[in-house]
Every structure is written in C-alpha cells, then in structure tokens.
Coordinates of all heavy atoms in Angstrom, one line a residue:
M1 N -4.2 20.1 -35.2 CA -4.2 18.8 -35.9 C -4.3 17.7 -34.8 O -3.7 17.8 -33.7 CB -2.9 18.6 -36.6 CG -2.7 17.3 -37.2 SD -1.1 17.1 -37.9 CE -1.5 16.5 -39.5
R2 N -5.2 16.8 -35.1 CA -5.4 15.7 -34.1 C -4.6 14.4 -34.6 O -4.5 14.2 -35.8 CB -6.9 15.4 -34.0 CG -7.6 16.5 -33.4 CD -9.0 16.2 -33.3 NE -9.7 17.4 -32.8 CZ -11.0 17.4 -32.3 NH1 -11.6 16.2 -32.2 NH2 -11.5 18.4 -31.8
T3 N -4.2 13.6 -33.6 CA -3.5 12.4 -33.9 C -4.3 11.2 -33.4 O -4.6 11.2 -32.2 CB -2.1 12.4 -33.3 OG1 -1.4 13.6 -33.8 CG2 -1.3 11.2 -33.7
Y4 N -4.5 10.2 -34.2 CA -5.3 9.0 -33.8 C -4.4 7.8 -34.0 O -3.7 7.7 -34.9 CB -6.5 8.9 -34.6 CG -7.6 9.9 -34.3 CD1 -7.6 11.2 -35.0 CD2 -8.5 9.7 -33.3 CE1 -8.5 12.1 -34.7 CE2 -9.5 10.7 -33.0 CZ -9.5 11.9 -33.7 OH -10.4 12.8 -33.4
V5 N -4.5 6.9 -33.0 CA -3.8 5.6 -33.1 C -4.9 4.6 -32.8 O -5.5 4.6 -31.7 CB -2.7 5.5 -32.1 CG1 -2.0 4.1 -32.1 CG2 -1.6 6.6 -32.3
A6 N -5.1 3.7 -33.7 CA -6.1 2.6 -33.6 C -7.4 3.1 -33.2 O -8.1 2.6 -32.3 CB -5.6 1.6 -32.6
G7 N -7.8 4.3 -33.7 CA -9.1 4.8 -33.5 C -9.2 5.6 -32.2 O -10.3 6.2 -31.9
Q8 N -8.2 5.8 -31.5 CA -8.2 6.6 -30.2 C -7.3 7.8 -30.4 O -6.2 7.8 -31.0 CB -7.6 5.8 -29.0 CG -8.5 4.7 -28.7 CD -8.0 4.0 -27.4 OE1 -6.8 3.9 -27.2 NE2 -8.9 3.4 -26.6
E9 N -7.9 9.0 -30.0 CA -7.1 10.2 -30.1 C -6.0 10.3 -29.0 O -6.2 10.0 -27.9 CB -8.0 11.4 -29.9 CG -7.4 12.7 -30.2 CD -8.3 13.9 -30.1 OE1 -9.5 13.8 -29.9 OE2 -7.8 15.1 -30.2
A10 N -4.8 10.6 -29.5 CA -3.7 10.8 -28.6 C -3.5 12.2 -28.2 O -3.4 13.1 -29.1 CB -2.4 10.3 -29.2
H11 N -3.5 12.5 -26.9 CA -3.4 13.9 -26.4 C -1.9 14.1 -25.9 O -1.7 13.9 -24.8 CB -4.4 14.2 -25.3 CG -5.8 14.1 -25.7 ND1 -6.4 15.0 -26.4 CD2 -6.7 13.0 -25.6 CE1 -7.7 14.6 -26.7 NE2 -7.8 13.4 -26.2
G12 N -1.0 14.3 -26.8 CA 0.4 14.6 -26.4 C 1.3 13.4 -26.8 O 0.8 12.3 -27.2
D13 N 2.6 13.7 -26.7 CA 3.6 12.7 -27.2 C 3.6 11.4 -26.3 O 3.7 10.3 -26.8 CB 5.0 13.3 -27.1 CG 5.2 14.4 -28.1 OD1 4.4 14.5 -29.1 OD2 6.1 15.3 -27.9
L14 N 3.4 11.6 -25.0 CA 3.4 10.4 -24.1 C 2.3 9.5 -24.4 O 2.4 8.3 -24.5 CB 3.4 10.9 -22.7 CG 3.7 9.9 -21.6 CD1 5.1 9.3 -21.8 CD2 3.6 10.6 -20.2
E15 N 1.1 10.1 -24.6 CA -0.1 9.2 -24.9 C 0.0 8.6 -26.3 O -0.4 7.5 -26.5 CB -1.3 10.1 -24.8 CG -2.6 9.2 -24.8 CD -3.9 10.0 -24.5 OE1 -3.8 11.1 -24.1 OE2 -4.9 9.4 -24.7
F16 N 0.6 9.3 -27.2 CA 0.8 8.8 -28.5 C 1.7 7.5 -28.5 O 1.4 6.5 -29.0 CB 1.5 9.8 -29.5 CG 1.8 9.2 -30.8 CD1 0.8 9.0 -31.8 CD2 3.1 8.8 -31.2 CE1 1.1 8.5 -33.1 CE2 3.4 8.3 -32.4 CZ 2.4 8.1 -33.4
A17 N 2.8 7.6 -27.7 CA 3.8 6.5 -27.6 C 3.1 5.3 -26.9 O 3.3 4.2 -27.3 CB 5.0 7.0 -26.8
E18 N 2.3 5.7 -25.9 CA 1.6 4.6 -25.1 C 0.6 3.8 -26.1 O 0.5 2.6 -26.0 CB 0.8 5.2 -23.9 CG 0.1 4.1 -23.1 CD -0.6 4.7 -21.9 OE1 -0.1 5.8 -21.4 OE2 -1.6 4.2 -21.5
L19 N -0.1 4.6 -26.9 CA -1.1 4.0 -27.8 C -0.4 3.2 -28.9 O -0.8 2.1 -29.3 CB -2.1 5.0 -28.4 CG -3.1 5.6 -27.4 CD1 -3.8 6.8 -28.0 CD2 -4.1 4.6 -26.9
A20 N 0.6 3.8 -29.4 CA 1.3 3.2 -30.6 C 2.1 1.9 -30.2 O 2.1 0.9 -30.9 CB 2.3 4.2 -31.2
L21 N 2.8 2.0 -29.0 CA 3.7 0.9 -28.6 C 3.0 -0.1 -27.6 O 3.5 -1.2 -27.4 CB 4.9 1.5 -27.9 CG 5.8 2.3 -28.8 CD1 6.9 3.0 -27.9 CD2 6.4 1.6 -29.9
G22 N 1.9 0.4 -27.0 CA 1.2 -0.5 -26.0 C 2.0 -0.6 -24.7 O 1.8 -1.5 -23.9
I23 N 2.9 0.4 -24.5 CA 3.7 0.5 -23.2 C 3.2 1.7 -22.4 O 3.2 2.8 -22.8 CB 5.2 0.6 -23.5 CG1 5.7 -0.5 -24.4 CG2 6.0 0.8 -22.3 CD1 5.8 -1.8 -23.6
D24 N 2.8 1.4 -21.1 CA 2.4 2.4 -20.2 C 3.7 3.0 -19.6 O 4.4 2.3 -18.8 CB 1.5 1.9 -19.1 CG 1.1 2.9 -18.1 OD1 1.5 4.1 -18.2 OD2 0.3 2.6 -17.2
V25 N 4.1 4.2 -20.0 CA 5.4 4.7 -19.6 C 5.5 4.9 -18.1 O 6.5 4.6 -17.5 CB 5.6 6.1 -20.4 CG1 6.9 6.8 -19.8 CG2 5.7 5.9 -21.9
E26 N 4.4 5.4 -17.5 CA 4.5 5.6 -16.0 C 4.6 4.3 -15.3 O 5.2 4.3 -14.2 CB 3.2 6.3 -15.6 CG 3.3 7.8 -15.8 CD 2.2 8.6 -15.0 OE1 1.5 8.0 -14.2 OE2 2.2 9.8 -15.2
L27 N 4.2 3.2 -15.8 CA 4.3 1.9 -15.2 C 5.8 1.5 -15.0 O 6.2 1.0 -14.0 CB 3.6 0.8 -15.9 CG 3.7 -0.6 -15.4 CD1 3.1 -0.7 -14.0 CD2 3.1 -1.6 -16.3
F28 N 6.6 1.8 -16.0 CA 8.0 1.4 -16.0 C 8.9 2.5 -15.5 O 9.9 2.2 -14.8 CB 8.4 0.9 -17.4 CG 7.7 -0.3 -17.9 CD1 6.6 -0.3 -18.7 CD2 8.2 -1.5 -17.5 CE1 6.0 -1.4 -19.1 CE2 7.6 -2.7 -17.9 CZ 6.5 -2.6 -18.7
R29 N 8.6 3.8 -15.8 CA 9.4 4.9 -15.4 C 9.1 5.3 -14.0 O 9.9 5.8 -13.3 CB 9.2 6.0 -16.4 CG 10.0 7.2 -16.1 CD 9.4 8.5 -16.7 NE 8.1 8.7 -16.2 CZ 7.2 9.4 -16.8 NH1 7.4 10.0 -18.0 NH2 6.0 9.6 -16.3
G30 N 7.8 5.3 -13.7 CA 7.3 5.8 -12.4 C 6.6 7.1 -12.7 O 6.8 7.8 -13.7
P31 N 5.6 7.4 -11.8 CA 4.8 8.6 -12.0 C 5.6 9.9 -11.7 O 6.6 9.9 -11.0 CB 3.7 8.4 -11.0 CG 4.3 7.6 -9.9 CD 5.2 6.7 -10.6
L32 N 5.1 11.0 -12.2 CA 5.7 12.3 -11.9 C 5.3 12.8 -10.5 O 6.0 13.6 -9.9 CB 5.3 13.3 -12.9 CG 5.8 13.1 -14.3 CD1 5.2 14.1 -15.3 CD2 7.3 13.0 -14.4
K33 N 4.3 12.3 -9.9 CA 3.9 12.7 -8.6 C 4.4 11.6 -7.6 O 4.7 10.5 -8.0 CB 2.3 12.8 -8.5 CG 1.6 11.5 -8.8 CD 0.1 11.7 -8.8 CE -0.7 10.6 -9.2 NZ -0.5 9.3 -8.5
P34 N 4.5 12.0 -6.3 CA 5.0 11.1 -5.3 C 4.1 9.9 -5.2 O 2.9 10.0 -5.4 CB 5.0 11.9 -4.1 CG 5.0 13.3 -4.5 CD 4.3 13.4 -5.8
E35 N 4.7 8.7 -4.9 CA 3.9 7.5 -4.7 C 4.4 6.9 -3.3 O 5.5 7.1 -2.9 CB 4.0 6.5 -5.8 CG 5.5 6.0 -6.0 CD 5.6 5.1 -7.3 OE1 4.6 4.6 -7.7 OE2 6.7 5.0 -7.7
T36 N 3.5 6.2 -2.7 CA 3.8 5.6 -1.4 C 4.7 4.4 -1.7 O 4.8 3.9 -2.8 CB 2.6 5.1 -0.6 OG1 1.9 4.1 -1.4 CG2 1.6 6.2 -0.4
A37 N 5.4 3.9 -0.7 CA 6.2 2.7 -0.8 C 5.4 1.5 -1.3 O 5.9 0.7 -2.1 CB 6.9 2.4 0.5
K38 N 4.2 1.4 -0.8 CA 3.3 0.2 -1.2 C 2.9 0.4 -2.6 O 2.9 -0.6 -3.4 CB 2.1 0.2 -0.3 CG 1.2 -0.9 -0.5 CD 0.0 -0.9 0.4 CE -0.9 -2.1 0.2 NZ -2.1 -2.1 1.1
E39 N 2.6 1.6 -3.1 CA 2.2 1.8 -4.5 C 3.4 1.5 -5.4 O 3.3 0.9 -6.5 CB 1.8 3.2 -4.7 CG 0.4 3.6 -4.1 CD 0.1 5.0 -4.2 OE1 1.0 5.9 -4.2 OE2 -1.1 5.4 -4.2
R40 N 4.6 2.0 -5.0 CA 5.8 1.7 -5.8 C 6.1 0.3 -5.9 O 6.5 -0.2 -7.0 CB 7.0 2.5 -5.1 CG 8.2 2.3 -5.9 CD 9.4 3.1 -5.3 NE 10.6 2.8 -6.1 CZ 11.5 3.7 -6.4 NH1 11.4 4.9 -5.9 NH2 12.5 3.3 -7.1
R41 N 6.0 -0.5 -4.8 CA 6.3 -1.9 -4.8 C 5.3 -2.6 -5.7 O 5.7 -3.5 -6.5 CB 6.1 -2.5 -3.4 CG 7.3 -3.2 -2.9 CD 7.2 -3.8 -1.5 NE 6.0 -3.5 -0.7 CZ 6.0 -2.5 0.2 NH1 7.0 -1.7 0.4 NH2 4.9 -2.3 0.9
A42 N 4.0 -2.3 -5.7 CA 3.0 -2.9 -6.5 C 3.3 -2.6 -8.0 O 3.2 -3.4 -8.9 CB 1.6 -2.4 -6.1
R43 N 3.6 -1.3 -8.3 CA 3.9 -0.9 -9.7 C 5.1 -1.6 -10.2 O 5.1 -2.2 -11.3 CB 4.1 0.6 -9.7 CG 4.5 1.1 -11.1 CD 4.8 2.6 -11.1 NE 5.8 3.0 -10.2 CZ 7.1 2.9 -10.4 NH1 7.6 2.3 -11.6 NH2 8.0 3.4 -9.6
K44 N 6.2 -1.8 -9.4 CA 7.4 -2.4 -9.9 C 7.1 -3.9 -10.1 O 7.7 -4.5 -11.0 CB 8.5 -2.2 -8.9 CG 9.1 -0.8 -9.0 CD 10.3 -0.7 -8.1 CE 11.2 0.4 -8.6 NZ 12.5 0.3 -8.1
D45 N 6.3 -4.5 -9.2 CA 6.0 -6.0 -9.4 C 5.3 -6.2 -10.7 O 5.6 -7.1 -11.5 CB 5.1 -6.5 -8.2 CG 5.9 -6.6 -6.9 OD1 7.1 -6.7 -7.0 OD2 5.2 -6.7 -5.9
V46 N 4.3 -5.4 -11.0 CA 3.6 -5.5 -12.3 C 4.5 -5.2 -13.4 O 4.5 -6.0 -14.4 CB 2.3 -4.5 -12.3 CG1 1.7 -4.5 -13.7 CG2 1.3 -5.0 -11.2
A47 N 5.3 -4.2 -13.3 CA 6.3 -3.9 -14.4 C 7.2 -5.1 -14.7 O 7.5 -5.4 -15.8 CB 7.0 -2.6 -14.1
R48 N 7.7 -5.7 -13.6 CA 8.6 -6.9 -13.8 C 7.9 -8.0 -14.5 O 8.5 -8.7 -15.4 CB 9.1 -7.3 -12.4 CG 10.4 -6.8 -12.0 CD 11.0 -7.5 -10.8 NE 10.2 -7.4 -9.6 CZ 10.2 -6.3 -8.8 NH1 11.0 -5.3 -9.0 NH2 9.4 -6.3 -7.7
E49 N 6.6 -8.3 -14.1 CA 5.9 -9.4 -14.8 C 5.7 -9.1 -16.2 O 5.8 -10.0 -17.1 CB 4.5 -9.5 -14.0 CG 4.7 -10.2 -12.7 CD 3.3 -10.3 -12.0 OE1 2.3 -10.4 -12.7 OE2 3.3 -10.3 -10.7
I50 N 5.3 -7.9 -16.5 CA 5.0 -7.5 -18.0 C 6.3 -7.6 -18.7 O 6.4 -8.1 -19.9 CB 4.4 -6.1 -18.1 CG1 3.0 -6.2 -17.5 CG2 4.4 -5.6 -19.5 CD1 2.3 -4.8 -17.4
L51 N 7.4 -7.1 -18.2 CA 8.7 -7.1 -18.8 C 9.2 -8.6 -19.1 O 9.7 -8.9 -20.2 CB 9.8 -6.4 -18.0 CG 11.1 -6.2 -18.7 CD1 11.0 -5.5 -20.0 CD2 12.0 -5.3 -17.7
R52 N 8.9 -9.4 -18.1 CA 9.3 -10.9 -18.3 C 8.5 -11.5 -19.4 O 9.0 -12.2 -20.3 CB 9.0 -11.6 -17.0 CG 9.4 -13.1 -17.0 CD 8.9 -13.9 -15.9 NE 7.5 -14.0 -16.0 CZ 6.7 -13.7 -15.0 NH1 7.1 -13.3 -13.8 NH2 5.4 -13.8 -15.1
D53 N 7.2 -11.2 -19.5 CA 6.3 -11.7 -20.5 C 6.8 -11.2 -21.9 O 6.8 -11.9 -22.9 CB 4.9 -11.3 -20.3 CG 4.2 -12.0 -19.1 OD1 4.8 -13.0 -18.7 OD2 3.1 -11.6 -18.7
L54 N 7.1 -9.9 -22.0 CA 7.6 -9.3 -23.3 C 8.9 -10.0 -23.7 O 9.1 -10.3 -24.9 CB 7.8 -7.8 -23.1 CG 6.5 -7.0 -23.1 CD1 6.9 -5.5 -22.7 CD2 5.7 -7.0 -24.4
R55 N 9.8 -10.2 -22.8 CA 11.0 -10.9 -23.1 C 10.8 -12.3 -23.6 O 11.4 -12.7 -24.6 CB 12.0 -10.9 -21.9 CG 12.6 -9.6 -21.6 CD 13.5 -9.6 -20.4 NE 14.2 -8.4 -20.2 CZ 14.5 -7.9 -19.0 NH1 14.2 -8.7 -17.9 NH2 15.1 -6.8 -18.8
E56 N 9.9 -13.0 -22.9 CA 9.6 -14.4 -23.4 C 9.0 -14.4 -24.7 O 9.4 -15.2 -25.6 CB 8.7 -15.0 -22.3 CG 9.3 -15.4 -21.0 CD 8.4 -15.9 -20.0 OE1 7.1 -16.0 -20.3 OE2 8.8 -16.2 -18.9
M57 N 8.1 -13.5 -25.0 CA 7.5 -13.4 -26.3 C 8.5 -13.0 -27.4 O 8.5 -13.6 -28.5 CB 6.3 -12.4 -26.4 CG 5.1 -12.9 -25.6 SD 3.6 -11.8 -25.7 CE 4.2 -10.2 -25.2
G58 N 9.4 -12.2 -27.0 CA 10.5 -11.8 -28.0 C 11.4 -13.0 -28.3 O 11.8 -13.2 -29.4
E59 N 11.8 -13.7 -27.2 CA 12.6 -14.9 -27.4 C 11.9 -16.0 -28.2 O 12.5 -16.8 -28.9 CB 13.0 -15.5 -26.1 CG 14.0 -14.5 -25.4 CD 14.3 -15.0 -24.0 OE1 13.7 -16.0 -23.5 OE2 15.1 -14.2 -23.3
A60 N 10.6 -16.0 -28.2 CA 9.8 -17.0 -28.9 C 9.6 -16.5 -30.4 O 9.0 -17.3 -31.2 CB 8.4 -17.2 -28.3
G61 N 10.1 -15.4 -30.8 CA 10.0 -14.9 -32.1 C 9.2 -13.7 -32.4 O 9.1 -13.3 -33.6
D62 N 8.5 -13.2 -31.4 CA 7.7 -11.9 -31.6 C 8.7 -10.7 -31.6 O 9.0 -10.2 -30.5 CB 6.6 -11.8 -30.6 CG 5.7 -10.7 -30.8 OD1 6.0 -9.7 -31.5 OD2 4.6 -10.7 -30.2
E63 N 9.0 -10.2 -32.7 CA 10.0 -9.1 -32.8 C 9.5 -7.9 -32.2 O 10.3 -7.2 -31.5 CB 10.4 -8.9 -34.3 CG 11.5 -7.9 -34.5 CD 11.9 -7.7 -35.9 OE1 11.4 -8.5 -36.8 OE2 12.6 -6.8 -36.2
I64 N 8.2 -7.6 -32.4 CA 7.6 -6.3 -31.8 C 7.7 -6.4 -30.2 O 8.1 -5.5 -29.6 CB 6.2 -6.1 -32.2 CG1 6.1 -6.0 -33.7 CG2 5.6 -4.9 -31.5 CD1 6.8 -4.9 -34.3
A65 N 7.4 -7.6 -29.7 CA 7.5 -7.7 -28.2 C 8.9 -7.6 -27.7 O 9.1 -7.0 -26.7 CB 6.9 -9.1 -27.8
G66 N 9.8 -8.1 -28.5 CA 11.2 -7.9 -28.2 C 11.7 -6.5 -28.1 O 12.4 -6.1 -27.2
W67 N 11.2 -5.7 -29.1 CA 11.6 -4.2 -29.1 C 10.9 -3.6 -27.9 O 11.4 -2.7 -27.3 CB 11.2 -3.6 -30.4 CG 12.2 -3.9 -31.5 CD1 12.0 -4.8 -32.6 CD2 13.5 -3.5 -31.6 NE1 13.1 -4.8 -33.3 CE2 14.1 -4.0 -32.8 CE3 14.3 -2.6 -30.9 CZ2 15.4 -3.8 -33.2 CZ3 15.6 -2.3 -31.3 CH2 16.1 -2.9 -32.5
D68 N 9.6 -3.9 -27.7 CA 8.9 -3.4 -26.6 C 9.6 -3.7 -25.2 O 9.6 -2.8 -24.4 CB 7.4 -3.9 -26.5 CG 6.5 -3.3 -27.6 OD1 6.9 -2.3 -28.2 OD2 5.4 -3.8 -27.8
A69 N 10.1 -4.9 -25.1 CA 10.8 -5.2 -23.9 C 12.1 -4.3 -23.7 O 12.4 -3.9 -22.6 CB 11.3 -6.7 -24.0
L70 N 12.8 -4.1 -24.8 CA 14.0 -3.2 -24.7 C 13.6 -1.8 -24.3 O 14.2 -1.2 -23.5 CB 14.7 -3.2 -26.1 CG 15.4 -4.4 -26.5 CD1 15.9 -4.3 -27.9 CD2 16.5 -4.7 -25.5
Y71 N 12.5 -1.3 -24.9 CA 12.0 0.1 -24.6 C 11.5 0.1 -23.1 O 11.9 1.1 -22.4 CB 10.8 0.5 -25.5 CG 10.2 1.8 -25.2 CD1 11.0 3.0 -25.3 CD2 8.9 1.9 -24.9 CE1 10.4 4.2 -25.1 CE2 8.3 3.1 -24.6 CZ 9.0 4.3 -24.7 OH 8.4 5.5 -24.5
A72 N 10.8 -0.8 -22.7 CA 10.3 -0.9 -21.3 C 11.4 -1.0 -20.3 O 11.5 -0.3 -19.3 CB 9.3 -2.0 -21.1
D73 N 12.4 -1.8 -20.6 CA 13.6 -2.0 -19.8 C 14.4 -0.7 -19.7 O 14.8 -0.3 -18.6 CB 14.5 -3.1 -20.3 CG 15.6 -3.4 -19.4 OD1 15.4 -3.6 -18.2 OD2 16.8 -3.5 -19.9
A74 N 14.5 0.1 -20.8 CA 15.2 1.4 -20.7 C 14.4 2.4 -19.9 O 15.0 3.1 -19.2 CB 15.4 1.9 -22.2
L75 N 13.1 2.3 -19.9 CA 12.3 3.2 -19.1 C 12.5 3.0 -17.6 O 12.5 3.9 -16.8 CB 10.8 3.1 -19.4 CG 10.3 3.7 -20.7 CD1 8.9 3.2 -21.0 CD2 10.5 5.2 -20.7
T76 N 12.8 1.7 -17.2 CA 13.0 1.5 -15.8 C 14.3 2.1 -15.3 O 14.5 2.2 -14.1 CB 13.1 -0.1 -15.5 OG1 14.2 -0.6 -16.2 CG2 11.8 -0.7 -15.9
R77 N 15.2 2.5 -16.2 CA 16.4 3.1 -15.8 C 16.4 4.6 -15.9 O 17.5 5.3 -15.8 CB 17.5 2.5 -16.7 CG 17.8 1.1 -16.4 CD 18.8 0.5 -17.4 NE 19.2 -0.8 -17.0 CZ 18.5 -1.9 -17.2 NH1 17.3 -1.8 -17.7 NH2 19.0 -3.1 -16.9
T78 N 15.3 5.2 -16.1 CA 15.2 6.7 -16.3 C 14.6 7.3 -15.0 O 13.9 6.6 -14.3 CB 14.3 7.1 -17.5 OG1 13.0 6.6 -17.3 CG2 14.9 6.5 -18.8
V79 N 14.8 8.6 -14.8 CA 14.2 9.3 -13.7 C 13.5 10.5 -14.4 O 14.2 11.3 -15.1 CB 15.2 9.8 -12.7 CG1 14.6 10.6 -11.6 CG2 15.9 8.6 -12.1
P80 N 12.2 10.7 -14.2 CA 11.5 11.8 -14.7 C 12.2 13.1 -14.3 O 12.6 13.3 -13.2 CB 10.1 11.7 -14.2 CG 9.9 10.3 -13.8 CD 11.3 9.8 -13.4
F81 N 12.4 14.0 -15.3 CA 13.1 15.3 -15.0 C 12.5 16.0 -13.9 O 13.2 16.5 -13.0 CB 13.1 16.1 -16.3 CG 13.8 17.4 -16.1 CD1 15.2 17.5 -16.1 CD2 13.1 18.6 -16.0 CE1 15.8 18.7 -15.9 CE2 13.7 19.8 -15.8 CZ 15.1 19.9 -15.8
L82 N 11.2 16.1 -13.8 CA 10.6 16.9 -12.7 C 10.8 16.3 -11.4 O 11.1 17.0 -10.4 CB 9.1 17.0 -13.0 CG 8.7 17.8 -14.2 CD1 7.2 17.8 -14.4 CD2 9.1 19.3 -14.1
R83 N 10.8 15.0 -11.3 CA 11.1 14.3 -10.0 C 12.5 14.5 -9.6 O 12.9 14.8 -8.5 CB 10.7 12.8 -10.1 CG 10.8 12.1 -8.7 CD 10.2 10.8 -8.8 NE 11.1 9.9 -9.6 CZ 10.6 8.8 -10.2 NH1 9.4 8.4 -10.1 NH2 11.5 8.1 -10.9
A84 N 13.4 14.4 -10.6 CA 14.9 14.6 -10.3 C 15.1 16.0 -9.9 O 15.9 16.3 -8.9 CB 15.7 14.3 -11.6
A85 N 14.5 17.0 -10.5 CA 14.6 18.4 -10.1 C 14.1 18.7 -8.7 O 14.7 19.5 -8.0 CB 14.0 19.3 -11.1
R86 N 13.0 18.0 -8.4 CA 12.4 18.2 -7.0 C 13.4 17.7 -6.0 O 13.4 18.2 -4.9 CB 11.1 17.5 -7.0 CG 10.0 18.2 -6.5 CD 8.7 17.5 -6.3 NE 8.6 16.2 -6.9 CZ 7.9 15.9 -8.0 NH1 7.2 16.8 -8.6 NH2 7.9 14.7 -8.5
C87 N 14.0 16.6 -6.3 CA 14.9 15.9 -5.3 C 16.3 16.7 -5.1 O 16.9 16.5 -4.1 CB 15.2 14.5 -5.7 SG 13.7 13.4 -5.6
H88 N 16.6 17.4 -6.1 CA 17.9 18.2 -6.1 C 17.8 19.3 -5.1 O 16.9 20.1 -5.3 CB 18.3 18.7 -7.5 CG 19.5 19.4 -7.5 ND1 20.8 18.8 -7.3 CD2 19.8 20.8 -7.7 CE1 21.7 19.7 -7.4 NE2 21.1 20.9 -7.6
R89 N 18.6 19.4 -4.2 CA 18.6 20.5 -3.2 C 19.3 21.7 -3.7 O 20.4 21.6 -4.2 CB 19.2 20.0 -1.9 CG 18.3 19.0 -1.2 CD 18.8 18.6 0.1 NE 20.3 18.3 0.0 CZ 21.0 18.1 1.1 NH1 20.6 18.3 2.3 NH2 22.3 17.8 1.0
Q90 N 18.7 22.8 -3.6 CA 19.2 24.1 -4.1 C 20.5 24.5 -3.3 O 20.5 24.3 -2.1 CB 18.2 25.2 -4.1 CG 18.6 26.4 -4.9 CD 17.4 27.3 -5.0 OE1 16.4 27.2 -4.3 NE2 17.5 28.3 -5.9
G91 N 21.5 24.9 -4.0 CA 22.7 25.4 -3.2 C 23.7 24.3 -2.9 O 24.7 24.5 -2.2
T92 N 23.5 23.1 -3.5 CA 24.4 22.0 -3.2 C 25.3 21.7 -4.4 O 26.1 20.8 -4.4 CB 23.7 20.7 -2.7 OG1 22.8 20.3 -3.8 CG2 23.0 21.0 -1.4
G93 N 25.1 22.4 -5.5 CA 25.8 22.1 -6.7 C 27.2 22.7 -6.7 O 27.7 23.3 -5.7
E94 N 28.0 22.4 -7.7 CA 29.4 22.8 -7.8 C 29.5 24.3 -7.8 O 30.5 24.8 -7.2 CB 30.0 22.2 -9.1 CG 31.5 22.2 -9.1 CD 32.0 21.5 -10.3 OE1 31.6 20.3 -10.5 OE2 32.7 22.1 -11.1
A95 N 28.6 25.0 -8.4 CA 28.7 26.5 -8.5 C 28.4 27.1 -7.1 O 28.6 28.3 -7.0 CB 27.7 27.0 -9.6
A96 N 27.7 26.4 -6.2 CA 27.3 27.0 -4.9 C 28.4 27.4 -4.0 O 29.4 27.0 -3.8 CB 26.3 26.1 -4.2

C-alpha cells in the first residue's frame, strides 16, 4: 500500500510526518549520522530561526503553526536511538 500526502509519495513514517506536518525532523532532532561542529551549528541556527517563526505565527493566531512549534521544540530535546546507542560505551552499565 502506498501513502501520498499532497500528491507526494511518503516512503516510511518519518517522511510521512515530514510531508504531513511540514517539519523536517532531522533539522530539529539532528541526523542519525555524525555531523561536524560547523554543520551542527548551521543546522541549529536554521532550526532556531524556523522555531521562532513558527512561534510568532502561532501567537498571531495560526493554530497549526503553534502546534508545529510545539512538535519542533520537542524534537530538539530528543536524541536519536541509534546515536544514543553508539555513544553508550559497552561494559559501563549497572549490570557490568
């Protein structure tokens, strides 16, 4: 079964959410692959600007932008599971 949003085919849950909400998850959460400090700084700067714009539109009465701002803000506080697992050193847990 294929899923389409606004005439574009969504390949997976993440792409469906991006097309439906208009929010680039990797922009706010961060990519699953390593990024340089310069790339991270640039990504975070753009994410902050977009989040600021969404909040302003939400405060001006755009309810959808307000909800998008909440979602994008929550994404900035998450760590992708694969990146978190990569950073966890084996043998340092409580059971070790």
Side-chain angles (χ1 to χ4, degrees):
M1 177 186 231
R2 295 181 183 196
T3 305
Y4 290 88
V5 177
Q8 293 184 328
E9 185 176 358
H11 300 280
D13 295 340
L14 193 60
E15 190 171 350
F16 176 80
E18 182 178 331
L19 289 171
L21 299 173
I23 299 288
D24 181 356
V25 174
E26 281 196 2
L27 177 65
F28 294 96
R29 179 204 60 204
L32 295 177
K33 60 182 175 55
E35 62 185 340
T36 66
K38 185 177 180 180
E39 291 171 331
R40 182 180 176 141
R41 236 182 350 268
R43 178 182 56 78
K44 286 186 156 199
D45 286 345
V46 171
R48 265 192 299 276
E49 288 178 28
I50 292 172
L51 188 54
R52 185 191 67 233
D53 291 345
L54 288 171
R55 286 180 177 147
E56 288 174 0
M57 290 187 304
E59 290 170 1
D62 185 341
E63 188 176 349
I64 301 298
W67 284 108
D68 285 348
L70 290 172
Y71 178 60
D73 188 47
L75 286 171
T76 63
R77 292 175 172 74
T78 62
V79 176
F81 179 74
L82 294 174
R83 189 170 66 203
R86 229 185 347 252
C87 293
H88 180 71
R89 293 186 306 167
Q90 195 171 14
T92 60
E94 198 173 301

